[in-house]
Amino acid sequence: MSAIDSQLPELPSSVELGMGQGGLAVARVFARAGSAEIYLRGAHVSAWAPTGGSPVIWMSEQSEYAPGVPLRGGVPICFPWFGAHPTDATAPSHGFARLADWRLAEAREAGDDVVLVFVLTDTEATRASAWPHRFEARYTVTVGAQLALSLQVTNLDTAQLSYEEALHTYLAVADIRQTEVSGLEGAPFTDRLTGPRPAESEPVRFDAETDRIYLDSTAATTVTDTATGRQITITKQGSASTVVWNPWIDKAAAMADFGDNEYTGMVCVETCNIRDNAITLAPGAGHEMSVRYSVA
Ligand code: TA6
């Protein structure tokens, strides 16, 4: 980890940098109000729980921790494109950010919380990719009784650029069949399996593979676990798209890094700017997308 050591900021005692699974560098955070784990590869939050509370972020037991393979679970950062790249079939799904090594630029205590800042800038590899722009991405993770995530992107190029982004959060639920996602009622969406669908008046419930894109949706959402009564509220700024995903049985079985029955214990509610909501920045301009998770 010598390369990482040399760039490290001073760490408060509540932050430990160590070796995680697969030998990957990981920051373990022990704030008074909450704890978390963040892999430097992908600036990937892989665990968060408020102090005294149960884990909120879900991670697959089958996740790989190998070069070139994204972690399964946690909060993957999808950037600078979402899903398959529109023109380059060889480009990695959901972009290069979740496969890249981010730099831990800052770690500090803020009352009962701890704030960490991770930075990714363009590299030779990204400049040779399907998205060759010069950029800086700053990802701020605030760990406490709530989890707050903020992704700031700045165009360091001399030309305009456009990108998609998603905080592809995997949330833990007791039983997906007894889980509801509310806050999206009245919003039309695209079901990635069957196409455009009209708005629904009920919360999203799950009885099959679910993969929905809500555009022009700035609403807060709530994941209600009717089995336990736990509610996870998701409030966001600077995000105009929301994605809701559960792979259900067949897709779960088809994914090598996902346990066959693990679909029952997770739901993804993703904070995004994708498709028609993609962000365009003039040279020197920046944009921030942020989200906050609170549990009741
Ligand atoms: O956000 C939902 C989604 O785009 C699904 O279509 C599904 O593919 C999921 O992401 C996981 O993608 P990944 O590339 O991590 O396997």
Coordinates of all heavy atoms in Angstrom, one line a residue, residues 70-72 76 82-83 93-94 98 168 170 192 211 243-245 251 255 268 270, ligand 1:
P70 N -16.3 -5.1 -10.6 CA -16.9 -4.2 -9.6 C -17.4 -5.0 -8.4 O -17.7 -6.2 -8.5 CB -18.1 -3.6 -10.3 CG -18.4 -4.5 -11.5 CD -17.1 -5.2 -11.8
L71 N -17.4 -4.4 -7.2 CA -17.9 -5.0 -6.0 C -19.4 -5.2 -6.2 O -20.1 -4.3 -6.8 CB -17.6 -4.2 -4.8 CG -16.2 -3.8 -4.5 CD1 -16.1 -3.2 -3.1 CD2 -15.3 -5.0 -4.6
R72 N -20.0 -6.3 -5.7 CA -21.4 -6.5 -5.8 C -22.1 -6.1 -4.5 O -22.0 -6.8 -3.5 CB -21.7 -7.9 -6.1 CG -23.2 -8.3 -6.2 CD -23.9 -7.5 -7.3 NE -23.5 -8.0 -8.6 CZ -23.8 -7.3 -9.7 NH1 -24.5 -6.2 -9.7 NH2 -23.4 -7.7 -10.9
P76 N -22.0 1.4 -5.5 CA -21.2 1.6 -6.7 C -21.4 3.0 -7.2 O -22.6 3.4 -7.3 CB -21.6 0.5 -7.7 CG -22.4 -0.5 -6.9 CD -23.0 0.3 -5.7
F82 N -24.1 5.3 -17.7 CA -25.0 4.3 -16.9 C -25.4 3.2 -17.8 O -25.8 3.3 -18.9 CB -26.2 5.0 -16.4 CG -27.1 4.2 -15.6 CD1 -26.8 4.1 -14.2 CD2 -28.2 3.5 -16.1 CE1 -27.6 3.3 -13.4 CE2 -29.0 2.7 -15.3 CZ -28.7 2.6 -13.9
G83 N -25.1 1.9 -17.3 CA -25.5 0.8 -18.0 C -24.4 0.5 -19.1 O -23.2 0.9 -19.0
S93 N -19.7 -1.9 -18.1 CA -21.0 -1.5 -17.7 C -20.9 -0.5 -16.5 O -20.1 -0.6 -15.7 CB -21.8 -2.8 -17.2 OG -23.0 -2.4 -16.5
H94 N -21.7 0.5 -16.6 CA -21.8 1.6 -15.6 C -20.6 2.4 -15.5 O -20.3 3.1 -14.4 CB -22.2 1.0 -14.2 CG -23.6 0.5 -14.1 ND1 -24.7 1.1 -14.7 CD2 -24.1 -0.6 -13.5 CE1 -25.8 0.5 -14.4 NE2 -25.5 -0.6 -13.7
R98 N -16.2 3.0 -10.9 CA -16.3 2.0 -9.8 C -15.1 1.0 -9.9 O -15.0 0.2 -9.0 CB -17.6 1.3 -9.9 CG -18.0 0.5 -11.1 CD -19.3 -0.2 -11.0 NE -19.6 -1.0 -12.2 CZ -20.6 -1.8 -12.3 NH1 -21.4 -2.1 -11.2 NH2 -20.9 -2.5 -13.4
H168 N -25.5 3.9 -7.0 CA -26.3 2.7 -7.2 C -26.5 1.9 -5.9 O -26.1 0.7 -5.8 CB -25.5 1.9 -8.3 CG -26.2 0.7 -8.9 ND1 -26.8 -0.3 -8.2 CD2 -26.4 0.4 -10.2 CE1 -27.3 -1.2 -9.0 NE2 -27.1 -0.8 -10.2
Y170 N -27.3 -0.3 -2.8 CA -27.9 -1.5 -2.4 C -28.3 -1.4 -0.9 O -27.5 -1.3 -0.1 CB -27.0 -2.7 -2.6 CG -26.6 -3.1 -4.0 CD1 -25.8 -2.3 -4.8 CD2 -27.1 -4.3 -4.5 CE1 -25.5 -2.7 -6.1 CE2 -26.8 -4.7 -5.8 CZ -25.9 -3.9 -6.6 OH -25.6 -4.3 -7.9
R192 N -37.2 -1.4 -17.8 CA -36.2 -1.8 -18.7 C -36.4 -3.1 -19.4 O -35.8 -3.5 -20.3 CB -34.8 -1.7 -18.0 CG -34.5 -0.3 -17.6 CD -33.2 -0.1 -17.0 NE -32.1 -0.2 -18.0 CZ -30.8 -0.3 -17.7 NH1 -30.5 -0.4 -16.4 NH2 -29.9 -0.4 -18.6
D211 N -36.8 -3.4 -12.7 CA -35.7 -2.5 -13.2 C -36.4 -1.3 -13.8 O -36.7 -1.3 -15.0 CB -34.9 -3.3 -14.2 CG -33.5 -2.7 -14.5 OD1 -33.3 -1.5 -14.0 OD2 -32.7 -3.3 -15.1
V243 N -33.6 5.2 -10.0 CA -33.8 3.9 -10.5 C -34.1 2.9 -9.4 O -33.5 3.1 -8.3 CB -32.5 3.4 -11.2 CG1 -32.5 1.9 -11.6 CG2 -32.2 4.2 -12.5
V244 N -35.0 2.0 -9.6 CA -35.4 1.0 -8.6 C -35.1 -0.4 -9.2 O -35.6 -0.7 -10.3 CB -36.8 1.1 -8.2 CG1 -37.2 0.0 -7.2 CG2 -37.1 2.5 -7.6
W245 N -34.3 -1.2 -8.5 CA -33.9 -2.5 -9.1 C -33.9 -3.6 -8.1 O -33.5 -3.4 -6.9 CB -32.5 -2.4 -9.7 CG -32.0 -3.6 -10.3 CD1 -32.6 -4.3 -11.3 CD2 -30.8 -4.4 -10.0 NE1 -31.8 -5.4 -11.7 CE2 -30.7 -5.5 -10.8 CE3 -29.8 -4.2 -9.0 CZ2 -29.7 -6.4 -10.8 CZ3 -28.7 -5.1 -9.0 CH2 -28.7 -6.2 -9.8
K251 N -32.4 -13.6 -12.7 CA -31.2 -12.7 -12.9 C -30.2 -13.0 -11.7 O -29.0 -13.0 -11.9 CB -31.7 -11.3 -12.9 CG -30.5 -10.3 -13.2 CD -30.7 -9.4 -14.4 CE -29.4 -8.7 -14.7 NZ -29.7 -7.5 -15.6
M255 N -26.2 -14.2 -12.2 CA -25.0 -13.4 -11.8 C -24.1 -14.2 -10.9 O -24.4 -14.7 -9.9 CB -25.5 -12.1 -11.1 CG -26.2 -11.1 -12.0 SD -26.5 -9.6 -11.1 CE -27.9 -10.1 -10.0
C268 N -32.3 -2.0 -4.7 CA -31.5 -0.8 -5.1 C -32.4 0.3 -5.3 O -33.4 0.2 -6.1 CB -30.7 -1.1 -6.3 SG -29.2 -2.2 -6.1
E270 N -31.7 4.1 -6.6 CA -30.5 4.7 -7.1 C -30.7 6.2 -7.3 O -31.7 6.6 -7.9 CB -30.0 4.0 -8.3 CG -29.8 2.5 -8.1 CD -29.7 1.7 -9.3 OE1 -29.1 2.2 -10.3 OE2 -30.2 0.5 -9.4
Ligands
TA6_1 O1 -29.4 -0.1 -12.0 C1 -30.0 -1.3 -12.4 C2 -29.1 -2.0 -13.4 O2 -28.7 -1.1 -14.4 C3 -29.7 -3.3 -13.8 O3 -30.1 -3.2 -15.1 C4 -28.6 -4.3 -13.5 O4 -27.9 -4.6 -14.6 C5 -27.9 -3.7 -12.4 O5 -27.8 -2.3 -12.7 C6 -26.5 -4.2 -12.1 O6 -25.6 -3.9 -13.1 P1 -24.1 -4.5 -12.9 O7 -23.3 -3.9 -14.1 O8 -23.5 -4.0 -11.6 O9 -24.2 -6.0 -13.0

